[in-house]
């Protein structure tokens, strides 16, 4: 009988609202881009500059990508109505897997409906009760959930802390009466999404080598734009061949629709095709998404220009905001946290920013540590220099309004 649960949920939802952590969605009525029309649920939107999408390369509404999707819709239909292994594999799926492998320099790649699913698939088939998984404390929720699905011993090290990673590797080596875990893997995000900080991959790879452990990087916030050719943080750090498992999303820089992958050593990918549960029991990626993602990869491979624009934009925004006296977390990544400390202040700033025509989002505890509330600005190659100057002016005006 629903009555009791209804009352309980109503009270819990009220409590979330009271705590100021209720997530109110804004409704966008244009393609995702640097400029969008957005407004609260049930009201007409206004045109705003968008500084909170993961649309790093501005490909979400790119004409060539839209055209590739249209072509595939006509030539290959809307959906596959099947999982991959029954009758859901088109030539396009294999082509995209080969293209991702070539792009990342890995032996093989397996597609998933999302990176959330890729991370949900990867651990259980590879790591059992005799094994150890060592995970960065700030890893993405999908890694945390995926790791929980395996029976391996779990260890967690403080964010990007190599000394603590060593301690956890030592703990894994003491398992099974000192014989050590059968298999040990160190798992990290390539870029931590709330800070824009990069994982210290060279140090992680050195420690993994010392302890005979594998390395896995979820590069969702880097694939397509970090590194010389856009292959991500392992390329950026020159450790590509020392990373055993890559996961990532097509839902951010690479067109932004959906889909994810596990790439890496041949036998690892082969095992996931046999036993990765989200691969075996969830539908194939739609052909239009596959074809459009192939087009996105081609665009990324064919030109360094988009990447250069993105980093120029990030650099300009960081410099201008610093000049205006805002406190930023340091770095080069296109995620630029503007720090306010107090959660209510960050929230009021985000509201004022929208009034001033710029869409940004505030994050506070528990998503970030207590007292470190921030607005996370994300730059895109879709922004012009004038857009960035407008955003900086909006920050200045909002600060005056909120503090005044
Ligand atoms: C965005 C993100 C994901 C989820 O990707 P989807 O394809 O949207 O499921 C997974 N891991 C990390 C690190 C991410 O940033």
């Amino acid at each position: 009988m629903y009555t009791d649960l209804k009352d309980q949920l109503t009270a819990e939802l009220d409590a979330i609202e009271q705590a100021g952590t209720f997530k109110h969605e804004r409704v966008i009525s244009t393609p995702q881009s640097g400029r969008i029309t957005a407004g609260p649920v049930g009201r007409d939107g206004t045109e705003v500059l968008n500084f909170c999408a993961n649309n790093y390369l501005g490909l979400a509404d790119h004409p060539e990508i839209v055209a590739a999707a249209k072509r595939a819709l006509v030539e290959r239909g809307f959906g596959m109505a099947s999982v991959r292994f029954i009758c859901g594999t088109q030539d396009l799926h294999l082509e995209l897997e080969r293209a991702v492998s070539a792009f990342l320099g890995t032996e093989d790649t397996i597609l998933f409906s999302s990176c959330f699913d890729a991370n949900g698939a990867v651990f259980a088939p590879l790591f059992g009760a005799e094994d150890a998984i060592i995970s960065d404390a700030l890893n993405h929720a999908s890694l945390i959930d995926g790791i929980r699905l395996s029976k391996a011993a779990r260890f967690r090290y403080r964010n990007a802390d190599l000394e603590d990673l060593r301690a956890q590797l030592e703990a894994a080596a003491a398992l099974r009466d000192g014989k050590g875990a059968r298999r040990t893997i160190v798992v990290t995000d390539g870029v931590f999404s709330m800070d824009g900080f990069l994982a210290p991959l060279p140090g992680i790879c050195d420690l993994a080598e010392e302890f005979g452990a594998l390395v896995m990087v979820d590069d969702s916030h880097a694939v397509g734009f970090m590194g010389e050719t856009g292959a991500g943080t392992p390329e950026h750090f020159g450790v590509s061949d020392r990373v055993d498992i890559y996961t990532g999303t097509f839902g951010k820089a690479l067109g932004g629709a959906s889909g994810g992958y596990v790439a890496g050593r041949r036998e690892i990918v082969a095992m996931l095709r046999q036993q990765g549960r989200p691969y075996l029991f969830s539908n194939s990626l739609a052909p239009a998404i596959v074809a459009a993602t192939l087009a996105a990869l081609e665009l990324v491979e064919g030109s360094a220009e988009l990447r250069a624009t993105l980093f120029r934009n990030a650099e300009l925004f960081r410099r201008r905001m610093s000049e205006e006296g805002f406190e930023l977390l340091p770095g080069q990544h296109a995620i630029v946290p503007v720090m306010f400390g107090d959660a209510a202040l960050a929230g009021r700033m985000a509201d004022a920013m929208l009034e001033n025509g710029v869409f940004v989002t505030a994050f506070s505890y528990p998503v970030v540590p207590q007292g470190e509330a921030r607005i996370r600005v994300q730059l895109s190659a879709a922004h012009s220099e004038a857009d960035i100057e407008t955003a900086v002016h909006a920050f200045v005006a909002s600060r005056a309004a909120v503090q005044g």
Side-chain angles (χ1 to χ4, degrees):
M1 202 173 69
Y2 183 54
T3 326
D4 287 352
L5 177 56
K6 179 182 169 74
D7 293 344
Q8 290 158 9
L9 290 180
T10 304
E12 286 169 29
L13 287 165
D14 285 348
I16 296 172
E17 181 76 59
Q18 291 302 314
T21 54
F22 197 96
K23 294 181 261 307
H24 295 277
E25 296 178 4
R26 298 203 179 270
V27 182
I28 300 171
S29 50
T30 54
Q32 184 68 280
S33 192
R35 239 169 239 280
I36 55 173
T37 298
V41 177
R43 280 205 263 147
D44 283 345
T46 50
E47 190 181 280
V48 291
L49 281 170
N50 182 10
F51 279 84
C52 54
N54 300 313
N55 186 22
Y56 294 113
L57 297 175
L59 297 181
D61 64 342
H62 193 287
E64 283 178 39
I65 292 173
V66 174
K70 276 187 187 159
R71 231 170 14 247
L73 261 178
V74 172
E75 289 172 8
R76 301 303 169 83
F78 177 57
M80 292 307 296
S82 173
V83 299
R84 286 285 299 277
F85 84 95
I86 297 180
C87 58
T89 302
Q90 279 182 339
D91 49 354
L92 286 177
H93 293 93
L94 300 179
E95 208 183 311
L96 179 56
E97 288 175 341
R98 281 194 297 270
V100 173
S101 300
F103 182 60
L104 298 177
T106 57
E107 289 177 357
D108 204 354
T109 296
I110 173 173
L111 303 180
F112 290 88
S113 302
S114 66
C115 186
F116 206 106
D117 274 350
N119 288 335
V122 72
F123 297 103
L126 302 174
F127 301 95
E130 312 94 319
D131 304 320
I133 302 174
I134 305 180
S135 176
D136 188 289
L138 291 191
N139 276 348
H140 190 265
S142 55
L143 288 170
I144 295 169
D145 289 6
I147 291 168
R148 281 194 187 129
L149 294 173
S150 100
K151 297 195 164 56
R154 304 197 297 253
F155 300 88
R156 201 165 67 148
Y157 62 99
R158 283 189 299 273
N159 176 230
D161 184 333
L162 294 175
E163 229 170 278
D164 197 26
L165 173 56
R166 173 182 287 282
Q168 304 310 317
L169 282 160
E170 282 165 355
L175 288 173
R176 303 202 301 165
D177 299 322
K179 274 195 301 185
R182 179 186 60 159
R183 303 169 184 165
T184 299
I185 188 165
V186 180
V187 181
T188 184
D189 281 14
V191 177
F192 295 98
S193 65
M194 286 299 137
D195 300 323
F197 294 160
L198 311 190
L201 292 186
I204 288 172
C205 290
D206 287 348
L207 278 170
E209 204 165 289
E210 185 182 331
F211 284 85
L214 301 154
V215 175
M216 168 172 164
V217 177
D218 176 346
D219 225 14
S220 289
H221 278 287
V223 68
F225 60 97
M226 295 289 303
E228 176 81 27
T229 70
T233 52
E235 182 184 50
H236 172 84
F237 284 116
V239 297
S240 300
D241 55 344
R242 302 173 76 191
V243 173
D244 302 287
I245 303 178
Y246 294 70
T247 60
T249 184
F250 304 133
K252 292 187 170 109
L254 296 175
S258 60
Y261 59 84
V262 177
R265 314 283 183 200
R266 193 180 318 285
E267 299 75 15
I268 289 174
V269 171
M271 185 56 78
L272 295 181
R273 281 192 211 281
Q274 299 306 312
Q275 296 188 352
R277 289 170 69 83
Y279 186 79
L280 297 176
F281 300 110
S282 186
N283 216 20
S284 297
L285 271 181
I289 290 179
V290 176
T293 304
L294 269 165
L297 271 177
E298 262 174 47
L299 278 168
V300 166
E301 285 179 311
S303 146
E305 186 51 38
L306 288 170
R307 288 194 289 283
T309 305
L310 173 64
F311 284 103
R312 215 166 39 239
N313 284 349
E315 207 266 334
L316 175 64
F317 180 77
R318 285 177 183 276
R319 178 167 59 73
R320 287 289 297 114
M321 287 292 282
S322 300
E323 284 168 9
E324 297 294 348
F326 287 93
E327 184 196 341
L328 312 177
L329 291 187
Q332 279 85 49
H333 197 271
I335 292 171
V336 185
V338 185
M339 305 303 286
F340 294 96
D342 180 61
L345 174 61
R348 284 202 305 279
M349 276 297 295
D351 291 343
M353 288 293 289
L354 197 63
E355 296 284 305
N356 285 304
V358 179
F359 187 15
V360 287
T361 309
F363 292 90
S364 54
Y365 183 80
V367 181
V368 296
Q370 198 99 47
E372 294 183 29
R374 66 197 66 182
I375 287 176
R376 181 182 69 171
V377 173
Q378 289 173 282
L379 281 300
S380 169
H383 295 134
S384 67
E385 283 187 21
D387 292 339
I388 292 166
E389 198 54 39
T390 304
V392 173
H393 280 278
F395 267 103
V396 172
S398 301
R399 178 174 58 190
V402 164
Q403 291 177 345

